[in-house]
Amino acid sequence: MLETFTVADAVELAVVERSGFIESRHAGSAIVLSPDGDVVRRLGNPDALVLPRSSLKPLQAIACVTAGAELAGEQLAISTASHVGTDRHVDLVREILTAGGLTEDDLGCPSTWPRDTGTRDELVREHGRPTRIRMDCSGKHAAMLRACVATGWPTEGYLHPSHPLQLHIREVVERLSGEKIAHTAVDGCGAPIHAITLAGLGRAIHRIGSASERSPFALHRVAGTLVRAVKENPWTIEGPGRADTIAIETLGVFAKSGAEGIMTMVAPDGTTVVLKMLDGGARALVIVAATLLARAGALSEADLATLANALPLAVLGGGSDVGMIRPGAAV
């Protein structure tokens, strides 16, 4: 039996306070790594297996580039994004596809409405429909297709676990995490998603977040370039007013969340936090990760206050603020 994340592994990472009453609690596990990559703090059981979901996208993007996909700047950034499907996001994904002689029909992700409310409302008014390119993982899929074109691998079946691209991604995940993949599942977008421990994900994200573009190793050079692309183009990663984008813009961190309560964040000095909320809740992810970085001395209290003011953390009652989502006792 796989050692997956359980209630026994969890500690209180966040609470929801309403009018002085703790209404809800989010339990989870986390690990903090120093700029040198040493473990400085463990909360719960970071050795339990998790599915990183979209937090694995930086590793998948690096694998695509090392497989031959020629991506830079905004195009490289959106290859690791969970974007909200604005026209700006879609135009960028379409550029990636067109440059490889590809079209939206080549995308293997499902058709969805954009998550951006304004964009969706406009599409509804125009009698639009869900499309693959609006799906939040379309940038990742476009990068995967470009890697196939560059290497001469077939684009058909590029999401099958035995496809050469997916085997290459698997190898990169194992190399960066320092772990053998324990289990492979199907992600929401249809791509393979690999189970590793929270500690292994922490090692991988730390190596990416602290990588140098001048490294003698190609994998690390690509990682360093990816981090710079994300920090220079935070709008690509999610979208205006969204938590990941706000964190990158406000703190200068490298941040990437994943579905079902996964969060990764690397401070400018290389201090790294990776966490998992047991209930899969996302509303406290960014503020908890940033608070853990601050507790490790990588961010200031002023940084935290600025971030908290920018995030949608207020609890409303009758249209007024009556409480807040905030870090829990274990943090």
Side-chain angles (χ1 to χ4, degrees):
M1 180 69 67
L2 296 174
E3 187 185 356
T4 56
F5 199 51
T6 69
V7 173
D9 296 318
V11 298
E12 184 181 275
L13 294 181
V15 299
V16 180
E17 182 179 343
R18 177 182 297 275
S19 303
F21 183 88
I22 302 300
E23 185 173 20
S24 299
R25 302 177 191 272
H26 291 294
S29 186
I31 189 166
V32 184
L33 304 179
S34 73
D36 293 329
D38 298 323
V39 177
V40 295
R41 196 171 178 196
R42 294 165 57 95
L43 291 81
N45 180 15
D47 297 322
L49 291 168
V50 299
L51 290 173
R53 303 298 297 274
S54 284
S55 289
L56 198 70
K57 283 178 178 174
L59 285 73
Q60 293 166 317
I62 290 168
C64 288
V65 174
T66 58
E70 295 183 4
L71 302 170
E74 292 178 332
Q75 291 187 0
L76 181 56
I78 204 169
S79 71
T80 193
S82 299
H83 64 77
V84 293
T86 67
D87 291 345
R88 191 179 181 191
H89 288 110
V90 166
D91 289 345
L92 188 52
V93 175
R94 191 174 287 118
E95 287 177 9
I96 296 174
L97 293 169
T98 300
L102 301 155
T103 71
E104 297 175 42
D105 293 335
D106 293 301
L107 293 169
C109 54
S111 296
T112 66
W113 290 100
R115 291 190 294 133
D116 180 73
T117 303
T119 304
R120 176 174 178 150
D121 289 349
E122 183 62 27
L123 282 175
V124 170
R125 285 192 291 268
E126 295 177 353
H127 304 287
R129 58 182 176 81
T131 56
R132 293 176 180 179
I133 203 166
R134 297 280 181 184
M135 202 266 171
D136 56 357
C137 300
S138 64
K140 176 182 77 176
H141 282 255
M144 288 180 173
L145 287 165
R146 282 288 299 275
C148 291
V149 170
T151 310
W153 293 329
T155 55
E156 185 175 352
Y158 74 96
L159 296 179
H160 195 280
S162 65
H163 188 281
L165 172 66
Q166 298 303 332
L167 293 177
H168 176 62
I169 290 173
R170 182 186 182 100
E171 179 184 344
V172 169
V173 171
E174 291 184 338
R175 182 174 173 185
L176 287 171
S177 68
E179 296 181 356
K180 289 293 183 181
I181 289 168
H183 183 75
T184 298
V186 181
D187 210 340
C189 67
I193 184 68
H194 305 299
I196 54 178
T197 68
L198 203 63
L201 180 60
R203 282 191 294 270
I205 294 299
H206 174 268
R207 287 168 177 167
I208 293 170
S210 58
S212 170
E213 294 181 73
R214 298 182 297 277
S215 171
F217 303 105
L219 194 68
H220 291 183
R221 289 197 301 272
V222 173
T225 302
L226 173 67
V227 170
R228 177 166 59 85
V230 168
K231 290 184 177 182
E232 291 178 351
N233 303 282
W235 70 271
T236 62
I237 298 306
E238 198 169 7
R242 298 285 178 153
D244 282 10
T245 293
I246 289 172
I248 299 166
E249 290 176 336
T250 304
L251 304 176
V253 296
F254 178 71
K256 187 72 193 74
S257 62
E260 297 301 323
I262 297 285
M263 186 71 216
T264 66
M265 189 178 291
V266 185
D269 73 348
T271 304
T272 300
V273 168
V274 173
L275 66 90
K276 160 74 177 176
M277 292 293 187
L278 182 60
D279 64 356
R283 55 185 173 178
L285 290 177
V286 167
I287 194 62
V288 170
T291 301
L292 287 169
L293 287 178
R295 299 290 184 267
L299 297 176
S300 69
E301 291 300 320
D303 290 331
L304 272 185
T306 300
L307 177 65
N309 287 334
L311 290 171
L313 299 176
V315 173
L316 300 180
S320 300
D321 292 356
V322 296
M324 178 170 284
I325 302 165
R326 58 176 174 79
V331 177

